[in-house]
């Protein structure tokens, strides 16, 4: 079983991934932010580092998906390979930080690699408005994220919403992250788990 949590920067994926992993004894797979060799440079100069960062994420996420498919354990993944291409790379090209030549090169590679993988059985999308995202980004205090412009988050949200509306690869659960505090409020977390369980019913006998 492969569950994935999708959502904009600061939408709360990591917290939800950890909590669901703990509750159901699923193995969590996170993005390795601390060892990313491009992220900080990317936020300082997107024109220069967009392509490098996207290739880095594509490779690391692809390796993650291959391990997920080989594993016998149920896995919950913090962000998908589809978000890299359909949200981040697409947006960087649209706003002029990735040239058409680099974007096409990246997409050819993405299409070639993704022929060999399968989508998650359930995709949980954390939908959040800009104030919520900004609040959570500032709370976690990564210095290089302090400069993220509001326009950048807004554009990513537009891509996310389009992507989810057209997503046909598997089951989707959309959660309103603006009004849910599943980290601190037990009844909010219970609401989330009941939604997850009802989506998984029929796919798997037990969870
Ligand atoms: N394909 C990508 N292109 C550009 N930036 C990316 C891409 N994937 C991830 N990032 C950035 O890498 C960092 C990853 O941080 P992290 O794993 O904490 O994700 P997050 O989206 O902030 O999570 P959360 O929802 O848990 O707050 C963020 O700044 C995010 O924007």
């Amino acid at each position: 079983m492969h569950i994935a949590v999708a959502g904009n920067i600061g939408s709360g994926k990591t917290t939800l991934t950890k909590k669901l992993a703990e509750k159901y004894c699923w193995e969590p797979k996170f993005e390795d932010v601390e060892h990313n060799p491009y992220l900080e440079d990317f936020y300082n100069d997107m024109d220069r580092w967009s392509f490098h960062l996207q290739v880095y994420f594509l490779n690391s996420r692809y390796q993650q998906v291959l391990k997920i498919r080989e594993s016998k354990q149920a896995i919950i993944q913090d962000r998908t390979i589809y978000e890299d291409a359909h949200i981040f790379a697409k947006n960087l090209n649209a706003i002029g930080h990735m040239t058409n030549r680099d974007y096409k090169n990246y997409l050819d590679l993405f299409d070639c690699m993704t022929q060999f993988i399968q989508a998650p059985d359930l995709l949980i999308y954390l939908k959040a408005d800009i104030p919520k995202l900004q609040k959570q980004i500032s709370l976690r205090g990564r210095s290089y994220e302090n400069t993220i412009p509001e326009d950048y988050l807004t554009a990513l949200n537009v891509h996310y919403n389009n992507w989810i509306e057209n997503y046909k690869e598997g089951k989707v659960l959309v959660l309103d992250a603006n009004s849910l505090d599943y980290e601190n409020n037990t009844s909010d977390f219970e609401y989330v788990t009941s939604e997850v369980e009802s989506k998984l019913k029929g796919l798997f006998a037990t969870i």
Side-chain angles (χ1 to χ4, degrees), residues 7-15 30-33 36 39 42-43 53-54 57 61 78-79 83-85 88-89 92 106 126 136-137 140 142 144-145 148 152 156 160:
N8 205 338
I9 309 166
S11 56
K13 297 179 297 298
T14 304
T15 305
F30 299 103
E31 269 175 350
D32 184 2
V33 180
N36 187 312
L39 200 53
F42 164 77
Y43 277 122
L53 181 74
Q54 293 314 317
F57 270 123
R61 213 92 63 182
D78 179 345
R79 192 166 266 140
E83 292 162 79
D84 295 322
F88 285 91
L92 288 167
Y106 168 85
L126 291 176
Q136 297 198 158
I137 291 168
R140 75 179 169 211
R142 285 184 200 143
Y144 51 87
E145 288 181 342
I148 296 179
Y152 183 69
L156 290 174
Y160 263 108

Side-chain angles (χ1 to χ4, degrees), residues 38-190:
Y38 294 110
L39 200 53
E40 194 164 352
D41 287 334
F42 164 77
Y43 277 122
N44 286 324
D45 185 350
M46 289 189 177
D47 284 352
R48 170 76 177 85
W49 296 108
S50 281
F51 182 75
H52 304 71
L53 181 74
Q54 293 314 317
V55 170
Y56 176 84
F57 270 123
L58 183 61
N59 179 42
S60 73
R61 213 92 63 182
Y62 188 69
Q63 292 190 33
Q64 208 179 51
V65 181
L66 293 183
K67 284 193 193 123
I68 290 171
R69 283 291 151 192
E70 277 164 15
S71 169
K72 300 271 177 282
Q73 259 216 268
I75 284 179
I76 181 157
Q77 182 190 19
D78 179 345
R79 192 166 266 140
T80 64
I81 197 166
Y82 304 106
E83 292 162 79
D84 295 322
H86 298 307
I87 314 290
F88 285 91
K90 190 175 191 174
N91 181 51
L92 288 167
N93 176 247
I95 62 179
H97 289 305
M98 200 195 270
T99 64
N100 289 341
R101 177 173 62 174
D102 285 348
Y103 182 52
K104 184 181 178 309
N105 186 3
Y106 168 85
L107 275 189
D108 285 349
L109 186 58
F110 173 80
D111 289 341
C112 178
M113 289 164 87
T114 49
Q115 290 172 52
F116 302 102
I117 62 170
Q118 275 174 281
D121 301 298
L122 174 64
L123 182 74
I124 303 171
Y125 171 47
L126 291 176
K127 189 171 175 171
D129 293 334
I130 305 302
K132 175 83 175 183
L133 299 173
Q134 287 174 324
K135 187 169 161 220
Q136 297 198 158
I137 291 168
S138 77
L139 278 177
R140 75 179 169 211
R142 285 184 200 143
S143 56
Y144 51 87
E145 288 181 342
N146 290 341
T147 54
I148 296 179
E150 185 173 326
D151 287 359
Y152 183 69
L153 293 176
T154 305
L156 290 174
N157 255 2
V158 171
H159 288 292
Y160 263 108
N161 292 333
N162 287 339
W163 174 61
I164 287 294
E165 271 170 33
N166 295 300
Y167 184 86
K168 306 269 181 294
E169 280 76 16
K171 285 203 177 189
V172 179
L173 169 62
V174 180
L175 295 173
D176 178 4
N178 299 309
S179 60
L180 288 170
D181 180 7
Y182 45 76
E183 183 169 22
N184 303 304
N185 185 321
T186 313
S187 66
D188 282 0
F189 186 58
E190 280 169 4

